[in-house]
Amino acid sequence: MSISIKSAEEIKVMRVACRLAAEVLDMISPHVKAGVATEEIDRICHDFIVGEQHAVPAPLNYKGFPKSICTSINHVICHGIPGPKRLKHGDIVNIDITVIKDGFHGDTSKMFLVGDVKPYARQLVAVTQEAMYLGIREVRPGAALNQIGAAIERHIAKYGYSVVREFCGHGIGREFHEDPQVLHYFEPKLDVRLESGMVFTIEPMINQGKRHVQMLADGWTAVTKDHKLSAQWEHTVLVTPDGYEVLTLRQEEDFGRT
Ligand code: MF3
Ligand code: CO
Ligand code: CO
């Protein structure tokens, strides 16, 4: 495993790419409501990224992915493909945005609540976000990479939820997915130490029921085997000399302004 250390110049560009990705989530927010088709959300994001941000939507044609964003509703864990399906009251949906600006990637996702959402679903969404933040808090030079997953797992276990193991966070930069793999559960062997200048995502997928995944025939959509709900939040994080900087932080978040 070779984890790249970003130079000051590269970090400047990463900050811009990540800010743009975060701004797509802000922009799309008023459109995420009952009745809208996920392919409409995709089109609005695509046009904004290309037309206004002068950036590139990284998912489009990535290993054959057919759309510009991922939309994962209810029991879909990740990599849902936008299509004619319309959001309905009570849905929870993850929108995952990755943009490329000046050769560097920024990757972030959040959960949206559509209309009135049941308390058990709202709790899954809130606890998953808390778990992501607790994982981010572990980030500092000298920390072991597996402390991130340990913190996430410790938090969600209190609620009887489970961590998806088939997908993980990842180093990011010139490539969409670089070393290291950032597991969202504790893996003793993952004892590599963090260093200032590393950039990676933390993007826990947390299931209401069992952790097991089933792949749909489209080759992309991952769903929970037990068809219970799944939630995910994602930030791109820089290791700084004294901790972390959340490069994809949005205005609405009060977390992590260190
Ligand atoms: N954005 C996803 C991630 O967080 C990756 C999506 S790959 C795609 O790593 F091809 F499905 F877009
Ligand atoms: Co990612
Ligand atoms: Co993503």
Short mmCIF file of all heavy atoms in Angstrom, two decimals, residues 107 170 176-177 201 203 234, ligand 2:
data_model
loop_
_atom_site.label_atom_id
_atom_site.label_comp_id
_atom_site.label_asym_id
_atom_site.label_seq_id
_atom_site.Cartn_x
_atom_site.Cartn_y
_atom_site.Cartn_z
N ASP A 107 -15.18 14.31 -3.18
CA ASP A 107 -16.19 13.24 -3.07
C ASP A 107 -16.96 13.42 -1.77
O ASP A 107 -16.36 13.45 -0.68
CB ASP A 107 -15.43 11.90 -3.10
CG ASP A 107 -16.31 10.67 -3.22
OD1 ASP A 107 -17.53 10.81 -3.41
OD2 ASP A 107 -15.74 9.56 -3.13
N HIS A 170 -11.71 5.69 0.94
CA HIS A 170 -10.58 5.52 0.03
C HIS A 170 -9.75 6.79 -0.04
O HIS A 170 -10.27 7.90 0.08
CB HIS A 170 -11.09 5.19 -1.37
CG HIS A 170 -12.19 6.12 -1.84
ND1 HIS A 170 -11.92 7.26 -2.57
CD2 HIS A 170 -13.54 6.11 -1.64
CE1 HIS A 170 -13.08 7.89 -2.81
NE2 HIS A 170 -14.08 7.22 -2.24
N PHE A 176 -9.80 8.76 -8.51
CA PHE A 176 -11.06 8.69 -7.75
C PHE A 176 -10.83 7.84 -6.52
O PHE A 176 -11.16 8.24 -5.38
CB PHE A 176 -12.12 8.06 -8.68
CG PHE A 176 -13.56 8.24 -8.28
CD1 PHE A 176 -14.56 8.11 -9.26
CD2 PHE A 176 -13.95 8.51 -6.99
CE1 PHE A 176 -15.90 8.26 -8.94
CE2 PHE A 176 -15.29 8.66 -6.66
CZ PHE A 176 -16.26 8.52 -7.63
N HIS A 177 -10.27 6.64 -6.73
CA HIS A 177 -10.05 5.71 -5.61
C HIS A 177 -8.56 5.36 -5.54
O HIS A 177 -8.04 4.69 -6.42
CB HIS A 177 -10.91 4.46 -5.79
CG HIS A 177 -12.39 4.76 -5.74
ND1 HIS A 177 -13.18 4.79 -6.86
CD2 HIS A 177 -13.20 5.07 -4.71
CE1 HIS A 177 -14.43 5.10 -6.52
NE2 HIS A 177 -14.45 5.28 -5.22
N THR A 201 -11.42 9.58 2.01
CA THR A 201 -12.83 9.74 2.37
C THR A 201 -13.16 8.86 3.56
O THR A 201 -12.53 7.83 3.79
CB THR A 201 -13.77 9.35 1.21
OG1 THR A 201 -13.74 7.93 1.06
CG2 THR A 201 -13.38 10.03 -0.09
N GLU A 203 -16.80 7.28 4.72
CA GLU A 203 -18.14 7.19 4.12
C GLU A 203 -18.90 5.95 4.59
O GLU A 203 -19.25 5.08 3.79
CB GLU A 203 -18.04 7.21 2.59
CG GLU A 203 -17.02 6.24 1.98
CD GLU A 203 -17.02 6.32 0.46
OE1 GLU A 203 -18.08 6.11 -0.15
OE2 GLU A 203 -15.96 6.60 -0.13
N GLU A 234 -20.78 10.90 3.61
CA GLU A 234 -19.39 10.87 3.16
C GLU A 234 -18.77 12.26 3.16
O GLU A 234 -19.37 13.22 2.67
CB GLU A 234 -19.31 10.31 1.73
CG GLU A 234 -17.90 10.35 1.13
CD GLU A 234 -17.77 9.70 -0.23
OE1 GLU A 234 -18.79 9.62 -0.96
OE2 GLU A 234 -16.66 9.27 -0.57
CO CO B 2 -16.00 7.94 -1.90
#
